[in-house]
Amino acid sequence: MSEIPSRRSGPFAALPAKALSGRLKAPGDKSVSHRALILGALARGETRITGLLESEDVLNTAKAMAALGAGVERTGPGAWTVLGTSGRFATPDAPLDFGNSGTGVRLVMGAVAGSGVAAEFVGDESLSSRPMRRVTDPLESMGALFETSDGRLPARLSPSKLRGIDYTPPVASAQVKSAVLLAGLSADGETCVHEPQITRDHTETMLAAFGAAIDVQRDGPASTIRLTGPQTLTACDVDVPGDPSSSAFAIVAALITPGSEVTLTGVMDNPARTGLIETLREMGAELTVEPGPDMAGERTMTITARTSALRGIEVPAERAPAMIDEYPILAVAAAFAEGTTFMPGLAELRAKESDRLEGTAELLRASGVDVETGEDSLTVHGAGLGGVKGGGRTVTHHDHRLAMSGLVLGLASREGASVDDVAMIATSYPDFFAHMAELGVQLEPA
């Protein structure tokens, strides 16, 4: 079995860049990668996965599935097989450690809740500070027996028997919805989730691909998802599409660096994930989009981004669920726009790997950008192309998206910029440095 490349760590700087150019295959989607491993482990038979994102977050999910009794094997770069358990997980010998992955731990909590086993869920310092009641509360209403540390990790699950529930999440969260639906597979009766605002729907799409009897009804911005348990999934092959959230860094780097043209292929084209593309176009971004092949039940696209004179806009708050992970890099784009960009509806950013709302504001201020924060909003007063001084150092707070956003800002600023650590970038985008180098970007230890 081939080895996974080692990762960089420590402080790094981005030097001011000349024109970026190149064509990249978009990195595998993290959300789909997590779900491919989890659903494969729940299914009957062998699931073959290609294009899996081999980030630390996803690898921790793979280890957890193996600890729960699934046969998990890496057969080559991005190629994995999962021999499923038919929903009969085994009690793990040690705590399931998800490192920094909120998606991994929350989805697996749901998948394991009704399996009848005991398990302990742990994570690193950052993950252990993040709220888990948003998942354990609905799971407990289904009958799951959890003990947590004041609603945070570590969380201990005792053997539980579940029943279906009718549930409306209090916050727009694909993780919460997915945890409840995965638990519903092993629950008695119907599980129904009502979403006032549609979130990314990979779980629904992939459950159907794995043979689940699931019904999804859309009503404008809302959706209702129903499934009746217990039911067993059937293994299938999964070709993971490209991640829109990770692709955003190269796209924005091209838009704000003079003379640039960058193309990304295989990017997932899902309406619940394309909010950033829509927003950048409204800001005046020159983006060419062409359709690509379907992958894992998802459409894909090829995106070409060229340097653009962006303008500030007000981003609709209702768009936040379709681009919640992209706000730090959108804020960087806004810094190089003419005029003011106002981004409301961002309360969820305060519950990410860090307080991502304040962290984004800090990284912009450090390089001379005028920015204001509200309780759930961010306002960036852009300086236009070439107008950002730079020279700042991003305090990443162990947040991978802040780290990558800080480096992209440095490329287009007059003095470059640095970040205090890059180790956590591997949690979501292990090929970030290689891809940036292919485009002509110079990143070096600082």
Side-chain angles (χ1 to χ4, degrees):
M1 186 171 73
S2 54
E3 294 184 358
I4 296 172
S6 59
R7 319 300 197 199
R8 289 174 173 82
S9 62
F12 263 72
L15 302 183
K18 297 180 180 179
L20 308 184
S21 64
R23 187 179 182 90
L24 301 174
K25 183 180 184 298
D29 186 75
K30 187 167 72 162
S31 296
V32 172
S33 294
H34 280 300
R35 287 159 174 81
L37 291 166
I38 294 167
L39 297 182
L42 283 168
R44 178 191 302 113
E46 184 178 83
T47 293
R48 290 175 294 182
I49 307 170
T50 53
L52 187 87
L53 178 70
E54 293 176 332
S55 69
E56 290 178 4
D57 281 2
V58 173
L59 295 178
N60 283 330
T61 293
K63 293 173 185 176
M65 295 304 98
L68 288 162
V72 181
E73 182 180 3
R74 182 178 191 257
T75 58
W80 293 68
T81 60
V82 181
L83 183 61
T85 66
S86 298
R88 295 188 289 272
F89 282 141
T91 297
D93 294 331
L96 302 175
D97 188 346
F98 289 88
N100 191 242
S101 179
T103 299
V105 70
R106 289 173 176 144
L107 266 60
V108 175
M109 280 181 171
V112 177
S115 64
V117 303
E120 182 176 4
F121 302 84
V122 300
D124 65 12
E125 181 180 356
S126 172
L127 185 59
S128 298
S129 70
R130 296 169 65 184
M132 292 297 149
R133 282 202 179 103
R134 58 178 56 186
V135 168
T136 58
D137 281 354
L139 294 179
E140 287 173 347
S141 72
M142 299 175 77
L145 303 173
F146 277 101
E147 294 180 12
T148 64
S149 177
D150 192 27
R152 305 181 190 278
L153 297 183
R156 296 173 182 83
L157 172 70
S158 298
S160 308
K161 183 172 178 57
L162 306 187
R163 59 188 175 277
I165 58 169
D166 192 286
Y167 184 66
T168 301
V171 295
S173 170
Q175 294 177 3
V176 175
K177 170 183 65 177
S178 298
V180 173
L181 292 174
L182 292 173
L185 292 173
S186 58
D188 290 330
E190 183 181 80
T191 294
C192 181
V193 179
H194 304 278
E195 282 195 301
Q197 183 71 39
I198 294 173
T199 63
R200 57 183 66 177
D201 57 357
H202 309 310
T203 298
E204 298 96 300
T205 299
M206 295 183 70
L207 279 171
F210 277 82
I214 182 170
D215 178 70
V216 181
Q217 298 292 328
R218 300 281 171 82
D219 182 13
S223 71
T224 299
I225 309 105
R226 290 182 171 88
L227 61 81
T228 299
Q231 54 178 296
T232 302
L233 305 178
T234 301
C236 67
D237 293 344
V238 179
D239 188 9
V240 178
D243 192 326
S245 300
S246 294
S247 299
F249 297 101
I251 291 170
V252 170
L255 294 176
I256 64 177
T257 305
S260 299
E261 179 174 319
V262 170
T263 297
L264 289 105
T265 64
V267 182
M268 184 192 301
D269 184 9
N270 181 311
R273 298 287 300 280
T274 54
L276 178 69
I277 299 301
E278 185 177 358
T279 301
L280 290 173
R281 280 179 159 164
E282 291 174 0
M283 296 174 72
E286 187 179 346
L287 298 171
T288 301
V289 177
E290 299 175 347
D294 287 356
M295 301 171 68
E298 302 279 0
R299 295 178 302 177
T300 69
M301 56 185 168
T302 296
I303 302 176
T304 298
R306 301 175 184 87
T307 306
S308 304
L310 303 178
R311 58 182 177 273
I313 64 168
E314 179 172 340
V315 184
E318 59 269 20
R319 194 177 292 166
M323 54 183 292
I324 195 64
D325 287 333
E326 284 86 281
Y327 277 98
I329 193 62
L330 172 60
V332 170
F336 292 86
E338 294 285 351
T340 297
T341 298
F342 177 58
M343 293 164 268
L346 307 187
E348 181 68 8
L349 288 184
R350 295 194 183 275
K352 290 291 184 177
E353 284 83 339
S354 64
D355 181 340
R356 196 173 275 171
L357 182 56
E358 288 297 335
T360 299
E362 289 171 4
L363 83 83
L364 295 176
R365 289 188 186 113
S367 286
V369 179
D370 186 8
V371 58
E372 301 155 18
T373 59
E375 185 176 344
D376 68 345
S377 66
L378 185 67
T379 303
V380 179
H381 302 285
L385 281 175
V388 175
K389 177 177 178 291
R393 170 163 289 198
T394 296
V395 179
T396 59
H397 304 286
H398 308 291
D399 190 317
H400 51 123
R401 299 199 190 277
L402 293 182
M404 290 183 281
S405 297
L407 291 171
V408 170
L409 180 144
L411 303 179
S413 63
R414 296 194 300 273
E415 297 180 9
S418 64
V419 301
D420 63 2
D421 191 19
V422 298
M424 79 295 295
I425 289 175
T427 65
S428 68
Y429 195 169
D431 290 329
F432 176 77
F433 284 89
H435 282 180
M436 290 296 106
E438 286 184 45
L439 300 180
V441 171
Q442 188 173 354
L443 303 174
E444 58 184 31

